[in-house]
Amino acid sequence: MNQPGVQIINVNKQFGTHTALHNIDLTIKSGEFVSLLGPSGCGKTTLLRIISGFEEATSGTVQIHGVDVTNTPPHLRSTNIVFQRGALFPHMNVAENIGYSLKLRKLSKAQIATRVEEMLVLVKLEGLGGRGPSELSGGQVQRVALARALASEPSVLLLDEPLSALDLKLRQHMQLELRTIQRQLGATFIYVTHDQTEALVLSDQIAVMNEGRVVQVGSPREIYANPATEFASDFIGEINLLHGTVAETADGLVHIKLTTGELLAGKGSNLSVGQRATLSVRPESIRVNAFNSLDDSKFRLSGRILDIIFLGSRTRLQIEIAEGKVVLADLDDQETVELTIGATVKLSWQIHQANVWKSESGGSQL
Amino acid sequence: MTTFKSSGPRNQLRTRGFRRSLRKLGPAIFVGVVLSYLFAPVIVTVLFSFTVSPRLSLPIEGFTLDWYKSAFGNPLFVDATMNTLTLALSSAIVAVIFGTSFAFGITSIKGRRRRIALTASLLPAAIPALVLGIALAVFFSGIGSRQGLLNASIGHAVLSLPFVILTMNARLETFDFTTLEAARDLGASPLQTFRDITLPIIRTAVIGAGLLAVALSLDEFVVTWFNIGNEMTIPVLIWGLLRRGIDPSINALASVVLVSLIAIVMVSNRLTNRSER
């Protein structure tokens, strides 16, 4: 059952002189929940529209279940979209909306009614079949849109930020339901979002996109723990980025001399001495005043506590390690008992929890 | 509250109350004057279409339907009515088809070019009917088209096109084009999408715009006069009758046109307003 559901092979997209997609290669397994994650303008929606057939790739091919659909118009593709704002047909009631694709397939009235009823149960809108779209709440509209897209059993369901218009509570609730529905149906879902939390919660696989390229593909855990680029590490979860130059490389370990003078180490490859580099470490990986944790006593980073912020399950420290350069550290509650604002503390982390990248941005370096 | 009251403040209160009511009454009176200025001639026309005396004079001596009988009995009346309806229907259909297509067409254009296209399409509404009528007559004779109903119908379509475009453009501003993509995505061909989604959503606005075009055509005289040749319409008939002197049957004809126009415009307004939700 691991045949590719959707295969995107070397797809490029030009809008005039602007290149929206660069050589996209992506294989999405059948039955998986895959997110296309990236900031706005990264090309994720364009890619979704190419898969659905509403945009034509400038070059490259799209295959669905092994069949080349590159030149197939949208109404002949077995993909259905859940649009950002539902796009329900305003002159049809909920049941007619859900049943529209079945009516086009010339199913009998009885068959359509049965299927519509199944769909209403699936999205928990039993009894609302007679309502008009204007009588629905935002969450209900998206449920109907989902039911409408799923009614004809598409081989691939495309979701274009379907929850972005909902408030946080409802969004979180709908995320879990989407996950359940996808597992229940075993369908392939491709989910476009700019919300990294959403992608982490929902996906089997995440494809991180930036500036028209797929930067990294992997499970949420992989991407969180081992981001492939500085962009991926910065975009997913919160992270501290420390800039400097490579001082020494050995066995996958890189020593980096910060612009402020400290010498630190992390995992890294393909770097040479003297190159400008960035070390990244997650706030929850940082320990405060815990000696012996440093693999080598010459790695030292200390700073002054600017603020202590209670976040419920954990406490966040803002630590100024140099003029204007603040590092975030998330600690358990007990660890912070003896800390006070203004105190100077020593920071440490396990070397394998830090990554060193070649600096991507030519921009401001501290 | 003090129990002591001089008559002074009370008088002041009264004048203040009077001023206040005047301030309220003033605008109402003004509106009344403007409205009667607008409608007095129309009311006089309708009123005298029912009076016994053939002269337009007061006091009114009695009421009769004779003028309607004589108007409808005019041998030219049936012909003129048929022609008027033919013109109204044909020009409205043409204007609605072209106007709606145009309004849809310019939704895919953005910014300055869209504004230019829209303004250009509305220009015929600003050109004097006299100029338009003569221009069309010259144009038709230039291409060798004989004066007649066809030419007049084309002229009427040109006249109502801007109003159809304006109505449809307003409707399409609240039209959610992603619903069309949704239909295509669910398996509808472009034709099925138009039949199942586009048309039902814009139908009331289309009918409203069509009725507006009918209303504009029904009482059109100038463009008709220059292009229709020997044929007769109700406005042309009224003009012909006027040349023979004032005759209350003209009032009767005018009243009939007036009532049908009011009905059509009211229905048209209701439809276009409702379709904008």
Side-chain angles (χ1 to χ4, degrees):
Chain A
M1 194 46 202
N2 265 352
Q3 72 182 107
V6 177
Q7 236 176 333
I8 294 148
I9 305 156
N10 203 15
V11 160
N12 285 281
K13 178 68 186 175
Q14 295 274 140
F15 287 113
T17 55
H18 171 69
T19 307
L21 295 174
H22 298 269
N23 303 327
I24 303 283
D25 278 300
L26 190 62
T27 302
I28 291 161
K29 288 197 205 113
S30 187
E32 276 198 331
F33 199 124
V34 177
S35 291
L36 305 178
L37 173 65
S40 62
C42 73
K44 56 192 192 299
T45 297
T46 306
L47 186 57
L48 192 85
R49 290 175 65 81
I50 286 174
I51 299 171
S52 63
F54 285 108
E55 295 285 354
E56 239 173 274
T58 311
S59 66
T61 46
V62 178
Q63 295 181 357
I64 296 174
H65 290 306
V67 181
D68 186 341
V69 296
T70 313
N71 298 314
T72 310
H75 65 285
L76 301 177
R77 292 195 190 192
S78 57
T79 57
N80 283 349
I81 306 181
V82 179
F83 290 90
Q84 197 166 5
R85 289 180 187 276
L88 299 185
F89 308 131
H91 58 300
M92 298 184 188
N93 66 25
V94 168
E96 287 165 340
N97 263 285
I98 298 175
Y100 183 63
S101 60
L102 307 172
K103 202 176 133 199
L104 290 169
R105 281 166 182 73
K106 306 231 164 11
L107 266 64
S108 74
K109 282 219 169 89
Q111 281 173 306
I112 295 177
T114 316
R115 182 72 181 150
V116 166
E117 211 42 57
E118 279 173 31
M119 285 295 116
L120 285 173
V121 172
L122 182 73
V123 298
K124 300 187 177 153
L125 290 178
E126 297 100 318
L128 295 189
R131 290 257 183 108
S134 56
E135 297 166 299
L136 301 175
S137 69
Q140 288 172 329
V141 164
Q142 290 311 86
R143 281 163 199 266
V144 175
L146 179 67
R148 182 178 68 176
L150 286 171
S152 61
E153 299 180 331
S155 59
V156 179
L157 188 75
L158 307 169
L159 302 104
D160 186 6
E161 309 212 18
L163 307 181
S164 61
L166 309 180
D167 63 60
L168 182 66
K169 254 277 167 34
L170 188 57
R171 192 156 70 224
Q172 289 171 339
H173 181 70
M174 292 278 290
Q175 284 168 1
L176 295 179
E177 269 188 51
L178 263 181
R179 192 81 182 100
T180 314
I181 288 172
Q182 189 265 339
R183 291 223 177 100
Q184 210 175 321
L185 300 175
T188 312
F189 277 34
I190 303 179
Y191 192 98
V192 161
T193 182
H194 64 268
D195 180 342
Q196 40 106 0
T197 324
E198 201 163 84
L200 292 175
V201 169
L202 287 169
S203 320
D204 295 315
Q205 296 278 311
I206 297 175
V208 183
M209 294 184 68
N210 187 32
E211 293 174 349
R213 292 171 210 275
V214 173
V215 179
Q216 185 176 13
V217 183
S219 71
R221 204 171 290 276
E222 278 164 21
I223 289 188
Y224 190 81
N226 289 311
T229 67
E230 186 186 328
F231 171 80
S233 71
D234 193 20
F235 194 71
I236 295 174
E238 280 183 290
I239 202 147
N240 296 301
L241 296 174
L242 303 165
H243 303 289
T245 49
V246 177
E248 195 184 330
T249 63
D251 304 332
L253 271 189
V254 179
H255 294 203
I256 172 172
K257 194 175 173 61
L258 298 191
T259 43
T260 43
E262 292 90 344
L263 198 60
L264 301 171
K267 289 184 300 174
S269 53
N270 297 328
L271 288 161
S272 48
V273 175
Q275 223 172 3
R276 292 216 290 183
T278 304
L279 181 137
S280 69
V281 58
R282 301 251 178 231
E284 66 269 24
S285 302
I286 295 181
R287 300 275 69 87
V288 169
N289 287 345
F291 301 104
N292 310 323
S293 304
L294 287 177
D295 292 35
D296 192 310
S297 58
K298 71 184 173 191
F299 302 134
R300 284 261 180 266
L301 193 58
S302 61
R304 199 170 57 87
I305 298 177
L306 282 183
D307 205 353
I308 300 174
I309 303 154
F310 179 64
L311 296 176
S313 57
R314 64 212 153 84
T315 299
R316 165 160 298 178
L317 301 187
Q318 293 186 337
I319 301 156
E320 191 178 42
I321 57 162
E323 185 67 35
K325 180 63 188 176
V326 175
V327 165
L328 303 177
D330 287 356
L331 306 179
D332 290 339
D333 230 11
Q334 306 96 298
E335 293 178 276
T336 62
V337 174
E338 295 183 359
L339 299 176
T340 51
I341 292 174
T344 301
V345 289
K346 291 196 175 69
L347 308 178
S348 61
W349 55 81
Q350 305 284 325
I351 281 185
H352 70 85
Q353 288 174 321
N355 284 295
V356 181
W357 323 102
K358 190 166 73 110
S359 284
E360 282 173 358
S361 47
S364 67
Q365 305 261 313
L366 215 156
Chain B
M1 278 284 272
T2 51
T3 46
F4 173 76
K5 270 183 189 166
S6 73
S7 62
R10 202 175 275 182
N11 274 344
Q12 263 178 18
L13 264 179
R14 199 173 291 157
T15 33
R16 207 179 297 157
F18 174 71
R19 276 204 198 128
R20 194 177 301 148
S21 61
L22 191 72
R23 216 180 296 146
K24 268 189 194 161
L25 221 57
I29 291 170
F30 183 73
V31 169
V33 169
V34 172
L35 281 180
S36 55
Y37 177 76
L38 284 173
F39 285 104
V42 178
I43 291 165
V44 167
T45 304
V46 175
L47 197 63
F48 280 99
S49 74
F50 291 106
T51 56
V52 173
S53 157
R55 263 170 294 130
L56 305 182
S57 62
L58 290 168
I60 293 164
E61 287 153 16
F63 292 101
T64 173
L65 288 174
D66 282 352
W67 306 119
Y68 285 86
K69 272 188 210 141
S70 98
F72 297 152
N74 189 321
L76 293 171
F77 176 78
V78 176
D79 220 20
T81 307
M82 288 312 293
N83 284 343
T84 303
L85 292 179
T86 310
L87 277 184
L89 272 181
S90 61
S91 67
I93 289 170
V94 170
V96 162
I97 291 174
F98 279 86
T100 306
S101 315
F102 184 87
F104 264 101
I106 59 169
T107 56
S108 59
I109 311 174
K110 295 270 169 288
R112 214 165 72 95
R113 282 158 66 195
R114 179 194 160 89
R115 280 201 302 279
I116 291 171
L118 196 61
T119 312
S121 72
L122 301 182
L123 223 49
I127 296 174
L130 184 68
V131 175
L132 199 64
I134 295 171
L136 281 169
V138 171
F139 172 73
F140 285 132
S141 90
I143 63 168
S145 172
R146 292 268 309 276
Q147 289 190 325
L149 277 180
L150 177 67
N151 289 7
S153 173
I154 293 171
H156 284 197
V158 172
L159 273 179
S160 33
L161 202 50
F163 298 92
V164 174
I165 290 173
L166 217 55
T167 309
M168 292 315 297
N169 188 58
R171 175 64 189 93
L172 292 186
E173 253 156 37
T174 58
F175 187 84
D176 181 5
F177 283 86
T178 45
T179 57
L180 304 185
E181 285 198 346
R184 296 268 284 130
D185 185 59
L186 292 168
S189 67
L191 203 68
Q192 285 169 321
T193 304
F194 181 76
R195 185 197 66 198
D196 295 344
I197 313 297
T198 316
L199 201 55
I201 294 178
I202 64 167
R203 183 166 49 211
T204 47
V206 169
I207 296 172
L211 286 177
L212 193 64
V214 166
L216 286 167
S217 165
L218 276 184
D219 66 339
E220 211 293 322
F221 174 70
V222 181
V223 172
T224 318
W225 176 250
F226 281 104
N227 291 285
I228 202 161
N230 297 323
E231 300 283 347
M232 187 68 73
T233 68
I234 296 282
V236 173
L237 175 66
I238 292 176
W239 190 77
L241 292 175
L242 271 173
R243 291 189 352 147
R244 294 201 320 234
I246 302 290
D247 169 353
S249 69
I250 296 172
N251 290 343
L253 274 179
S255 302
V256 170
V257 173
L258 177 75
V259 169
S260 28
L261 282 182
I262 289 175
I264 290 169
V265 170
M266 273 170 67
V267 175
S268 163
N269 256 339
R270 280 200 73 141
L271 288 177
T272 43
N273 287 342
R274 194 178 58 189
S275 64
E276 274 169 45
R277 277 186 294 160

